[in-house]
Amino acid sequence: MSTIVAGRYQLVAPVGQGATGVVWRAYDLLLERDVALKEIALPPGPGAAERRRRVVKEARMAARLSHRGIVTVHNLAEEAERLWIVMEFLEALTLHDTVVQAGPLPAELVAKMGRRLLEALRHAHDGGVVHRDIKPANIMLTGDRVVLADFGFAGFESTATTSMRGTPAFIAPETLQGRGGTREADMWSFGATLYMAVEGRTPFRTVDSMAALMAALQEPPRAPKRAGALEPVLRGLLRKDPAARLTSEQTYAMLVNLRRHSAA
């Protein structure tokens, strides 16, 4: 017998693992459409209330963002000591899986994807929301859409944080020093994501957790070999000093300029 959540969402099959829970494909029996449900267990104990608060915050944050480059949140349900975030369902590959299967992507294609992703990120930043975990595994590619997913670590930019959040190979140096939670840190992660897409590897020589953390603090990123005209964008985004890093406005202008030159 199929499991039905909140009296209307029929679970079909697990489709992935997000930063904070299992993601299911499901069917909305009321509106007769496919949806995605992120299942988040709330085991009893001292941390249960705080975990629930964070999940509700994530859902509210994502729901207040309306952009075709950000996964749409439809609802939040609670049942059987679990919270379920109900989202649009995308038939999509992640950027990570695309690079693993197809290898490094052409610089022109990466620049095009970068423009669309940056439009979504700028929309989030304009709303005061920073993502904190931008990486290829959180970028969905479907049709002509490039979609930013999983706001499980997201927060308001004005909210200071001293905890390390994110994925080591894509985390900004200042985040490791307890100065994360800013749009500048998101831009570093965005740059590391574009680097991975065009080079087929991370900006540093290892993805081992501790080594990657130390490399981000002490070593320059590896020189790109396939980036071509995209290289100045990558170098500008991966500057260790947040104040010297390219802003989203500067980056977008450079990516648009690359499109004009390629069309000339």
Side-chain angles (χ1 to χ4, degrees), residues 193-216:
T193 295
L194 295 189
Y195 185 108
M196 176 71 177
V198 74
E199 295 293 317
R201 61 184 186 179
T202 60
F204 300 99
R205 297 187 182 281
T206 178
V207 294
D208 174 77
S209 296
M210 287 306 297
L213 298 183
M214 295 303 295

Side-chain angles (χ1 to χ4, degrees), residues 16-205:
Q17 177 77 42
T20 54
V22 178
V23 180
W24 291 79
R25 181 173 186 161
Y27 187 71
D28 185 339
L29 298 170
L30 180 62
L31 297 181
E32 299 184 340
R33 63 178 178 180
D34 289 327
V35 292
L37 264 64
K38 180 189 282 190
E39 173 192 8
I40 304 170
L42 296 173
E50 174 60 20
R51 182 168 173 77
R52 185 186 186 283
R53 186 193 67 79
R54 289 201 311 267
V55 174
V56 172
K57 183 198 76 167
E58 173 196 349
R60 287 175 175 169
M61 248 179 218
R64 70 199 295 264
L65 302 174
S66 179
H67 193 280
R68 74 187 306 266
I70 296 175
V71 170
T72 301
V73 170
H74 298 311
N75 196 8
L76 178 65
E78 185 168 3
E79 187 172 288
E81 297 185 341
R82 283 169 169 76
L83 282 172
W84 304 79
I85 300 177
V86 185
M87 304 170 288
E88 67 172 318
F89 179 76
L90 297 174
E91 290 276 9
L93 278 178
T94 67
L95 177 57
H96 174 270
D97 289 342
T98 300
V99 173
V100 168
Q101 294 179 21
L105 305 179
E108 184 176 342
L109 176 59
V110 174
K112 181 179 180 180
M113 290 191 305
R115 288 194 302 271
R116 292 181 177 174
L117 176 59
L118 190 52
E119 288 169 359
L121 185 58
R122 291 174 72 182
H123 176 78
H125 287 173
D126 288 346
V129 175
V130 289
H131 189 279
R132 296 183 182 174
D133 195 23
I134 298 170
K135 59 184 179 183
N138 282 340
I139 311 302
M140 310 294 291
L141 306 179
T142 175
D144 65 345
R145 291 179 67 187
V146 181
V147 185
L148 181 59
D150 203 342
F151 278 72
F153 288 152
F156 292 109
E157 187 176 16
S158 59
T159 304
T161 178
T162 57
S163 62
M164 192 199 78
R165 299 184 178 215
T167 302
F170 301 95
I171 197 169
E174 64 269 22
T175 302
L176 306 179
Q177 300 168 331
R179 295 182 289 112
T182 65
R183 62 183 64 193
E184 289 83 9
D186 269 0
M187 291 305 294
W188 167 282
S189 301
F190 171 73
T193 295
L194 295 189
Y195 185 108
M196 176 71 177
V198 74
E199 295 293 317
R201 61 184 186 179
T202 60
F204 300 99
R205 297 187 182 281

